[in-house]
Amino acid sequence: MNLIILGAGGFGQTIADVSGQSGEYEKIHFLDDNSTAKNVIGKCSDYLKYKDCLIYPAFGNNSLRIEWIEKLLAEGFSLPTIIHRTAYISPKATIGCGTVVLPQSVINTNCQIGKGCIINCNSTVDHGCIIEDGVHVCLGAIVKAENRITKYTKIEAGEVVQARTFSV
């Protein structure tokens, strides 16, 4: 299976790196409106040409990422969930499509992670949390137990959200 990444910027490069390490994809290419790099094979609007590929919208803007996920799902595309091999995911957690879990991250027991989330390097989502669609838990951030983080929220690098701050 081939992977097409929408957006060849920094986040797109991260997705390509983690996806490439997984060994799951024969080829990884980009669609980008502003790049002429050799692995960019067209504009984002060309996505319909790649129905036989998995597509990942690698946009750092949380609401834009979810808009693309909804558009792709409506068109019948399958979106990967990308999880780095060093991340810990509880078998009792659920993770939505289009979410990426980067190196050394932890998603603990009974967590629900929505679509299109970014769980960045060394971040922790503790037990019983609900992370709604399009949330970015930045580098080293900690979301302690039993919080609901609402759609499109960005938890900044190193931030600690105390337990039960936002009730589930």
Side-chain angles (χ1 to χ4, degrees):
M1 178 69 62
N2 293 333
L3 176 64
I4 302 293
I5 299 170
L6 301 177
F11 182 41
Q13 297 300 320
T14 298
I15 294 301
D17 181 30
V18 172
S19 299
Q21 291 177 45
S22 75
E24 293 180 41
Y25 304 102
E26 294 172 37
K27 294 181 183 175
I28 299 173
H29 293 290
F30 293 92
L31 297 177
D32 190 286
D33 294 346
N34 301 307
S35 177
T36 57
K38 70 175 185 168
N39 56 354
V40 174
I41 58 174
K43 305 280 186 200
C44 291
S45 59
D46 297 331
Y47 74 98
L48 286 172
K49 297 178 185 175
Y50 300 97
K51 281 279 208 178
D52 60 335
C53 299
L54 290 175
I55 295 188
Y56 188 92
F59 302 112
N61 178 299
N62 292 339
S63 59
L64 179 61
R65 192 170 56 256
I66 293 300
E67 283 176 36
W68 270 98
I69 286 172
E70 296 298 337
K71 180 190 297 192
L72 292 165
L73 291 172
E75 293 284 349
F77 283 91
S78 294
L79 283 85
T81 298
I82 299 169
I83 300 172
H84 191 271
R85 59 182 168 72
T86 64
Y88 169 75
I89 312 290
S90 167
K92 294 183 178 182
T94 60
I95 300 176
C97 69
T99 287
V100 61
V101 183
L102 292 172
Q104 302 297 315
S105 294
V106 173
I107 297 175
N108 226 330
T109 306
N110 297 326
C111 287
Q112 299 171 33
I113 311 296
K115 294 183 296 211
C117 293
I118 302 170
I119 309 300
N120 218 321
C121 300
N122 294 310
S123 61
T124 300
V125 180
D126 200 9
H127 67 84
C129 287
I130 298 170
I131 307 296
E132 293 183 2
D133 295 348
V135 169
H136 182 173
V137 180
C138 292
L139 300 159
I142 299 170
V143 181
K144 289 186 171 183
E146 299 170 6
N147 274 296
R148 175 184 292 271
I149 306 301
T150 57
K151 193 173 190 174
Y152 307 140
T153 298
K154 185 175 185 181
I155 307 296
E156 288 295 341
E159 186 176 344
V160 177
V161 178
Q162 295 300 323
R164 297 173 204 85
T165 301
F166 306 102
S167 61
V168 294

